[in-house]
Every structure is written in structure tokens, then in C-alpha cells.
Amino acid sequence: MLIGIDDTDSPKGMCTTYLGAVLARRLIQNHMRVREARLVRLNPNVTFKTRGNAAIALDVEGDPEQAFSLACDIVEELSDFSCENTNPGVVVTEKRLDPAFYRQAVTDFCEIDEAVNILDRAGARYKGWKNRRGLIGATAAVASAFPDTTYEILTYRESSRWGTKREVDRESLFTSEEATYPHTWDTVDFTNQVVVCVPHTPDPVLFGIRGESPSWIMMARSAIASEKPALEQIWVTNQGTDAHLLPGTCGSLCEGLSYCVQGIVTASPKTTIGGHVSFSIRDGPAETRCMAYEPTKNFRNIVRGLVPGDRIMVVGSYKKESINLEKICLVSPAQDIHVKAPVCAACSRRMTSAGKDKGFKCRTCGARSKDAEVTEIPRTLSAGWYEVPPTARRHLAKPLCRGGPAIP
Ligand code: ATP
């Protein structure tokens, strides 16, 4: 059977993955076998999410009725029901569900009734609390099929420590990442000298290590010195796989969906108030604005290196009429040509325009010239992919160290 759970946490605490890790242990204590634990990230633009829009699924051998009852008990015991936005859902299905619902939940938006219809048709056991929105994530988790897979080991704190400062040795995190990158990623951000894998929220997570295989994440984990965790769980995940991306074209993008879009840069990128960088791309008559926000740090310097005429591919979520960049590919760099009025050969002063199609005129000595001064500025960017740093990376975004982006 597959057990799906979602929407048990609030900004004040708890984490659905912690609840899943505790449930896995209770199922084992009750003589069931847990074959796989899945951490399933869904559409990152869903507004109801607490943090990273995660749901979980456990693949279990045992008695479905007993498993359902244990799952419901643990949700009632651990969920933060006081928060208006916590609306848990539990699903137990003995039949595989159509992965189309997972695809919809990771790339688009779903309704509670759509999830309930699928569950009814499959004869699944399910329970939703309060407005039952958690049934969407729980159903998507049990319906999930990953064309690409990564792993994360999450360590969880003793409950007496929840809400207190996490004790994780900073140096050991950098050493760990040095030893295992690129087979692990996002433990730390070397360029910005920031720890990425330790949260700052009051939930049970101590730290999480992401990587290509259980052995690589275990090797990285063993190098980390910290307070003693209460629990550790290896999750199979769709993180770092670009599962959220759809192919898109300028002028036909939908709010809250994530795309890969091609176009030509229309004008030099501009830095706006707050340090955000913006520019537009054009595809035929349609234009789309692209944004590299301040938290994307050094990535903004890459974006500032684009010039009009560059053919690029941009990847990110379409929100408030712009694409929030996760990565870009400079497909075909344009020449960076600057055209100015020439310098007067007679008096060495810069000439000025003599009017449309009339060439240039020296305002000092009256000399005339037909030709402008054309300079080609060497490009700072070469063709290829560029991405935001680990500190700004979304859970689903595929890091370039994993190879070429998964472009749909
Ligand atoms: P955490 O990452 O800490 O577990 P969270 O960020 O996953 O928290 P939730 O508390 O699970 O946030 O809230 C997300 C809610 O949005 C859930 O009720 C889930 O069922 C719902 N949801 C997830 N994906 C979609 C979607 N594509 N369309 C509509 N609702 C969705």
C-alpha cells in the first residue's frame, strides 16, 4: 500500500516529513515493512504552503486498515491544528493512482474535489481534517512517479530542543560539502559563505543533506558534527529534478506556473530599487519581463552581462507578470556593438548628429563626417547555462552540477 500525508505543519512548528519519519517507525513496531519513504515537492507557487510545499508518501507492506488508523492517530497527535492554514490529509491506497494528478500538482494547481474523486474511484481510505486541503498533497504524493530521483537525509531534533538555537558545527558542513560535491549539493554556499542545509524555523528539522544516492548523502552526513539528533530518515525525492517546469512561450504564460522560455533580449538589463535586476525578452511580437531578485546575489552580475540581441532560454516561475529567474542559458551571444558620433579629425572634438540620415557635424570647426564610430565591446559572458547560488535555489530546481537542465 501507499500512505500519503500532507499539510500537518504551521509556521510555528512541526514538519510533515518528521511526522512521516515517526509514522514509519510506528509501522515497523507494528510488524509492517516500510519499503520506501518519499518526499514529494509540489508546485512551489501554491499560496497555502507553509514553507517548501512538501508532502510525503510511504510504500508499506502490512494491514491497510491498521496502517490507516496509525497514520490518522499520528496526524491527530502531532499536527498543529491551531493554525488556520493547517488542513491535514491522510490517504491509504492499495491501487497505484494515475501519475497525471501528481504531474498536475507539481506543475499546476488542483482542487480538493479532484483529489477526492480520484480517491473514491480507486477505493482508497482517506481522511481530511478541517477544510481537507491536505488531501491534494497526500493524493499527489501517492500518485507520484519520478522520471528523475535524488535523495535527502533529514535529521530531526529532540522535541525538548524545538525552537532553540541549532547546534551544528559550521566548519564540518563546509568540509563535508568539499568532500562530496558535486554528488551532494546545497549543504553550504561556498561563494556567499552561507550555510544552506540548516533551517532557521522552529520545526523539528536539524539539517538535511541532498545528493545523488543514499551512499553519497550518508558519506556527507557522517562528516557533520552537531547536537545528537532524535531521528534520521533517508527520503527518495523529486528535489533538484526540474519536475515543476513546463515549456512556455512569451505572451502565453499563466500566473503561478513555472516555465522554460526562449527569446531575444530586448534591451540592457536594469538594476532597480532594492538591487533587483530586470530585463525583457521578445519572441515575435510578444515580450516577457524577467527578474533576478536581490537574494539571487552574484547571479545578478551574470544577468547584468546580457546585451540586446542575445538569444537566451530562461527558467523560472511566472509571477506578477514576470519570470523569477532560476537559471538562464545564453544560447547565442550577440555582438556588443556601441555606436557613437565620431571624433573630428581636424579639431579632435566629439561631433554631434547633423540630423536624421545626415551624418555628423563638428560644432567647433564645422567639419562633416558620414560615418559613426563603431566599437565592439568584448563580452563578459560566454554561451552556456548559469544558475542562482545554492542560498537562493528552490527545492525543485535542478542544480547545474547534476548535468544539463531537464527542459520539457
Ligand atoms: P512543509 O514544507 O514545511 O511540509 P508545506 O510548505 O508543504 O509545509 P503545507 O502545509 O503542506 O505546506 O501546505 C500546502 C497545501 O497546499 C497543502 O494543503 C497541499 O495539499 C496544497 N497543495 C499542494 N500542491 C497543490 C497544488 N498544486 N494545487 C493546490 N493545492 C496544493
Side-chain angles (χ1 to χ4, degrees):
M1 81 193 96
L2 288 159
I3 306 174
I5 304 182
D6 196 13
D7 209 342
T8 62
D9 53 5
S10 77
K12 281 193 294 181
M14 196 33 60
C15 167
T16 303
T17 73
Y18 171 75
L19 197 143
V22 175
L23 175 61
R25 277 137 193 90
R26 288 206 190 152
L27 293 167
I28 292 164
Q29 279 159 9
N30 282 274
H31 315 293
M32 296 190 216
R33 193 169 150 235
V34 178
R35 284 193 293 228
E36 186 179 272
R38 277 186 167 214
L39 164 49
V40 186
R41 297 284 175 182
L42 300 171
N43 184 347
N45 307 308
V46 159
T47 50
F48 319 110
K49 70 176 181 177
T50 312
R51 285 176 283 270
N53 202 8
I56 62 111
L58 300 177
D59 183 347
V60 177
E61 257 174 47
D63 173 26
E65 196 53 46
Q66 194 191 7
F68 182 61
S69 150
L70 286 168
C72 291
D73 288 350
I74 206 164
V75 166
E76 292 191 349
E77 186 186 322
L78 294 178
S79 295
D80 184 2
F81 285 102
S82 65
C83 173
E84 196 199 328
N85 235 347
T86 301
N87 299 287
V90 168
V91 169
V92 173
T93 175
E94 290 164 79
K95 263 200 212 146
R96 280 244 159 239
L97 304 185
D98 186 349
F101 187 74
Y102 157 70
R103 282 289 303 154
Q104 183 183 339
V106 72
T107 58
D108 205 329
F109 295 91
C110 308
E111 298 293 333
I112 300 167
D113 286 348
E114 291 177 276
V116 168
N117 283 340
I118 288 170
L119 296 171
D120 283 339
R121 270 189 273 126
R125 293 169 177 80
Y126 64 91
K127 181 166 179 180
W129 285 259
K130 295 165 67 186
N131 76 13
R132 311 199 297 172
R133 187 174 295 116
L135 285 175
I136 296 175
T139 306
V142 294
S144 65
F146 300 161
D148 183 15
T149 299
T150 66
Y151 296 81
E152 177 163 12
I153 180 165
L154 278 162
T155 65
Y156 301 99
R157 314 182 75 194
E158 293 287 356
S159 57
S160 58
R161 290 188 186 249
W162 294 355
T164 63
K165 189 172 179 305
R166 289 168 172 89
E167 283 167 30
V168 184
D169 181 61
R170 183 183 156 92
E171 216 35 57
S172 71
L173 293 169
F174 280 83
T175 312
S176 162
E177 184 77 326
E178 239 159 32
T180 55
Y181 179 87
H183 306 287
T184 65
W185 52 86
D186 293 358
T187 302
V188 296
D189 181 332
F190 281 110
T191 309
N192 296 298
Q193 284 293 296
V194 179
V195 169
V196 179
C197 70
V198 181
H200 302 285
T201 42
D203 59 86
V205 173
L206 180 59
F207 61 83
I209 305 296
R210 297 173 178 193
E212 282 299 342
S213 67
S215 48
W216 278 111
I217 56 174
M218 283 309 293
M219 190 191 292
R221 189 265 165 274
S222 64
I224 296 167
S226 71
E227 66 185 56
K228 193 172 179 309
L231 211 62
E232 310 199 6
Q233 179 69 50
I234 293 183
W235 296 93
V236 179
T237 114
N238 60 350
Q239 292 170 164
T241 67
D242 279 345
H244 58 317
L245 300 184
L246 295 167
T249 46
C250 286
S252 57
L253 306 177
C254 300
E255 175 73 18
L257 272 53
S258 308
Y259 293 103
C260 177
V261 184
Q262 286 218 41
I264 308 274
V265 175
T266 60
S268 297
K270 288 197 168 54
T271 302
T272 59
I273 297 164
H276 314 306
V277 178
S278 88
F279 65 95
S280 290
I281 55 170
R282 175 175 45 75
D283 184 8
E287 271 193 32
T288 300
R289 188 173 58 218
C290 303
M291 295 293 303
Y293 284 102
E294 190 282 331
T296 64
K297 302 291 175 201
N298 37 312
F299 176 68
R300 293 171 302 161
N301 290 335
I302 305 290
V303 171
R304 288 185 187 109
L306 293 170
V307 303
D310 278 343
R311 173 171 288 283
I312 64 170
M313 220 182 265
V314 298
V315 170
S317 294
Y318 188 64
K319 285 170 100 174
K320 297 191 186 141
E321 297 185 355
S322 51
I323 294 182
N324 297 351
L325 296 175
E326 292 169 16
K327 52 193 163 217
I328 59 171
C329 179
L330 179 52
V331 178
S332 134
Q335 286 179 306
D336 191 7
I337 304 281
H338 289 234
V339 180
K340 281 200 286 198
V343 171
C344 174
C347 65
S348 303
R349 301 278 178 116
R350 178 93 39 206
M351 292 180 156
T352 53
S353 170
K356 195 167 185 289
D357 299 327
K358 288 191 179 144
F360 302 92
K361 189 176 174 185
C362 179
R363 300 279 165 207
T364 312
C365 69
R368 286 188 169 265
S369 167
K370 272 195 268 162
D371 302 321
E373 183 183 296
V374 178
T375 27
E376 186 178 349
I377 315 276
R379 296 296 307 268
T380 53
L381 285 187
S382 41
W385 281 96
Y386 299 90
E387 65 186 346
V388 301
T391 173
R393 193 179 347 261
R394 294 183 121 175
H395 300 292
L396 280 164
K398 185 174 174 184
L400 294 178
C401 69
R402 293 201 65 228
I407 302 306

